[in-house]
Structures are given as C-alpha cells and as structure tokens.
Amino acid sequence: MIIRFCINGRDTELDVRGDERAVDLLRERLGLTGTKEGCGTGECGACAILINGRARLSCLTLAAQLDGQNLTTIEGLGSLETPHALQRSFAEHGAVQCGFCTPGMVVAAADLLARDPHPGRETIREALSGNLCRCTGYTRILDAVHKVEKP
C-alpha cells in the first residue's frame, strides 16, 4: 500500500505492508533512530512521536495510519546545532541519564507545551504519566519541563 505523509517537514511516499508498525518504519526504513522501542505494547512512552501535533505511540500505530498525516519525531524537534528549548532544558537540569526515555519524554512535553505554555507541576506530571524512566526519578524531568524557556 502506498502512503504519503510529511515527516519532519519533508514530504514522503512509501510502500508499506499492512502489518508494518510506525516505529519500525521510522527506525528501520527511514533511519530515524531517535524514536526508541521500549516495551512494544504502549506502556513506556519511549516511542512517542507527534502526529498532527499530538503525541502518539508509534509502537501502537500502523504505518498505513500515517497516510495523509504530518509527523514530527525527536529529530524534527531540534538538532545538536539548534536544539529545541525542551532539549536544552533537559540538558541544563540534568534530566537525562541513560537517555533512552528522553526522546519520548521530550515529544510528550512538546505536545503539552503546545497546548498549555505554562503548565503547573501537576499538569506536567499528568501529561508525562505515560512515559517511564528508570534512571532519573522524575524530579529533574519535571523541573526541566516546568522551567523551560518559553519563546
């Protein structure tokens, strides 16, 4: 099946299998390895991407569902040269340890901040509740999102 979508600002057309997952398409076929697969069952949030501006789990999304959509992965939010404000804040507040969960956390936080530019800590906690981290203990992650420099 041929699908057409925009990913990180680039129009793309691909032939996908009916059972192909978005996470596999991103990582294996497009080389966008910032999106991580943690659990593969929608429990950890490591594979979060933005579809039309909203955080979605790519391990639970079929590639065919991307047809006609606008996707943003962690690579599309920022780069080493021009990091997204959230990426800078995560680094500044020590919210990154092993880094495995970080892309999903940043994507989920970007979704939140697009809807609520000045969320309270409880709102941040709720918005990130689907993202698991085994290293940081969450306090620094909450600090990074709460204290991010808003444009």
Side-chain angles (χ1 to χ4, degrees):
M1 147 185 249
I2 302 293
I3 63 169
R4 293 172 186 82
F5 57 98
C6 181
I7 183 159
N8 298 333
R10 189 181 73 230
D11 290 332
T12 303
E13 179 177 297
L14 290 170
D15 189 5
V16 300
R17 296 183 328 270
D19 65 345
E20 188 171 7
R21 300 177 309 159
V23 67
D24 299 321
L25 175 86
L26 295 171
R27 292 183 57 80
E28 297 169 16
R29 297 187 53 201
L30 297 177
L32 297 170
T33 57
T35 301
K36 308 298 185 211
E37 181 174 4
C39 66
T41 61
E43 297 293 324
C44 73
C47 68
I49 60 173
L50 296 174
I51 300 178
N52 300 326
R54 297 302 310 267
R56 299 288 181 249
L57 300 176
S58 62
C59 74
L60 298 180
T61 303
L62 291 174
Q65 293 175 288
L66 302 178
D67 190 37
Q69 307 302 314
N70 184 19
L71 280 68
T72 305
T73 66
I74 191 70
E75 291 92 347
L77 283 180
S79 67
L80 285 175
E81 298 80 28
T82 56
H84 187 278
L86 277 164
Q87 292 166 320
R88 279 194 310 276
S89 191
F90 267 61
E92 290 167 3
H93 290 91
V96 178
Q97 286 190 18
C98 84
F100 194 84
C101 73
T102 306
M105 290 278 188
V106 170
V107 165
D111 176 7
L112 168 65
L113 293 177
R115 293 179 288 113
D116 182 354
H118 303 285
R121 289 182 75 82
E122 190 56 40
T123 300
I124 297 167
R125 188 176 286 113
E126 178 66 28
L128 299 181
S129 66
N131 295 77
L132 302 179
C133 176
R134 297 176 64 136
C135 300
T136 65
Y138 300 100
T139 300
R140 291 180 180 185
I141 293 169
L142 294 173
D143 289 344
V145 177
H146 191 252
K147 296 175 182 177
V148 68
E149 290 183 30
K150 314 300 190 287

